[in-house]
Amino acid sequence: MCTSLTTCEWKKVFYEKMEVAKPADSWELIIDPNLKPSDLAPGWKQYLEQHASGRFHCSWCWHTWQSAHVVILFHMHLDRARRMGSVRMRVFKQLCYECGTARLDESSMLEENIEGLVDNLITSLREQCYGERGGQYRIHVAGRPDSGPHCAEFCEACQEGIVHWKPSEKLLEEEATAYTSEASKPRAQAGSGYNFLSLRWCLFWASLCLLVVYLQFCFHSLAFL
């Protein structure tokens, strides 16, 4: 049973994407608020998402804030014999800096952000649990607002010793360039049908010129009769 709308959305997206990525295996997603970084049982693997975007809502003073420094911890295990896998997940909370209460608040995320984060999780899962080449990790350039310096004293992940990783300017520039290239491909393909230097158009103009020459020859022949 889902404990919140965001939890339901995480499970929905995860199960849908895993059904496509690994239809022969059965995977489950479990929310575990007690998950510890690098505290792994035998056979388990870890993936740490350190640059997620989320919105927090203080349950005491109703203050809301956006953060581009949400940390999500995943522990993964695949039982190859039974073809069953399990992912345990923990989204680290933040303290409200307005009212100063000691109550940690959970984050909520947009569906499009969750989908990108699940894609990253599946990429890591394929690499670590299946030994496959998972692909490129997604960095959410558009979803990372400039919210100022990160306050470690209000961050649960920082208090537990997790060092946040910020994507370098080079990585952000590479992803933005890749996105621009992909977006321009359809326009280039659509425009290729109107290339007047193509073989089809050259044959058309050559035929037209021959027709004009033929008509001129016929006209001059009739004039001398």
Side-chain angles (χ1 to χ4, degrees), residues 177-195:
T177 302
Y179 175 80
T180 303
S181 299
E182 288 296 323
S184 63
K185 282 183 179 179
R187 291 193 296 271
Q189 292 173 352
S192 61
Y194 300 96
N195 185 4

Side-chain angles (χ1 to χ4, degrees), residues 15-24 122 125-126 130 132:
Y15 293 142
E16 288 177 352
K17 288 182 176 288
M18 284 305 299
E19 184 65 27
V20 175
K22 294 296 175 183
I122 294 177
L125 185 148
R126 292 178 61 183
Y130 290 94
E132 301 175 355

Side-chain angles (χ1 to χ4, degrees), residues 10-218:
W10 270 100
K11 292 189 174 185
K12 171 180 172 291
V13 174
F14 176 75
Y15 293 142
E16 288 177 352
K17 288 182 176 288
M18 284 305 299
E19 184 65 27
V20 175
K22 294 296 175 183
D25 297 338
S26 177
W27 281 85
E28 64 174 351
L29 177 64
I30 301 171
I31 308 299
D32 185 354
N34 299 315
L35 210 61
K36 299 294 183 182
S38 302
D39 185 10
L40 296 166
W44 285 73
K45 308 296 183 181
Q46 175 175 296
Y47 170 61
L48 188 65
E49 181 72 66
Q50 303 179 66
H51 49 271
S53 296
R55 177 171 292 278
F56 290 85
H57 179 87
C58 180
S59 56
W60 181 260
C61 71
W62 308 105
H63 172 64
T64 60
W65 68 97
Q66 183 81 15
S67 175
H69 307 280
V70 182
V71 177
I72 309 173
L73 176 64
F74 300 96
H75 286 180
M76 309 167 290
H77 179 263
L78 172 63
D79 187 335
R80 291 184 177 273
R82 300 172 60 192
R83 302 194 71 91
M84 296 179 64
S86 179
V87 175
R88 306 188 78 86
M89 165 187 166
R90 176 185 178 185
V91 181
F92 286 87
K93 303 176 183 179
Q94 293 186 11
L95 291 169
C96 177
Y97 57 86
E98 284 288 331
C99 65
T101 180
R103 186 193 302 269
L104 287 163
D105 294 291
E106 298 179 351
S107 66
S108 60
M109 297 181 181
L110 297 175
E111 181 179 352
E112 60 187 31
N113 288 343
I114 293 177
E115 289 186 355
L117 295 168
V118 170
D119 285 338
N120 285 352
L121 168 62
I122 294 177
T123 296
S124 178
L125 185 148
R126 292 178 61 183
E127 291 175 350
Q128 298 194 71
C129 296
Y130 290 94
E132 301 175 355
R133 186 172 181 178
Q136 185 177 6
Y137 289 87
R138 293 177 59 180
I139 301 174
H140 308 284
V141 179
R144 295 180 54 82
D146 185 9
S147 55
H150 180 62
C151 299
E153 62 270 23
F154 298 108
C155 176
E156 185 182 31
C158 291
Q159 296 303 313
E160 295 200 15
I162 297 177
V163 179
H164 287 250
W165 177 84
K166 281 191 69 175
S168 65
E169 293 297 328
K170 184 175 183 296
L171 274 176
L172 293 174
E173 182 179 349
E174 286 177 354
E175 179 166 281
T177 302
Y179 175 80
T180 303
S181 299
E182 288 296 323
S184 63
K185 282 183 179 179
R187 291 193 296 271
Q189 292 173 352
S192 61
Y194 300 96
N195 185 4
F196 288 92
L197 297 179
S198 65
L199 178 60
R200 182 183 300 176
W201 280 102
C202 288
L203 291 174
F204 170 78
W205 289 115
S207 302
L208 185 62
C209 289
L210 289 174
L211 179 61
V212 171
V213 171
Y214 175 76
L215 291 175
Q216 287 181 341
F217 175 78
C218 293

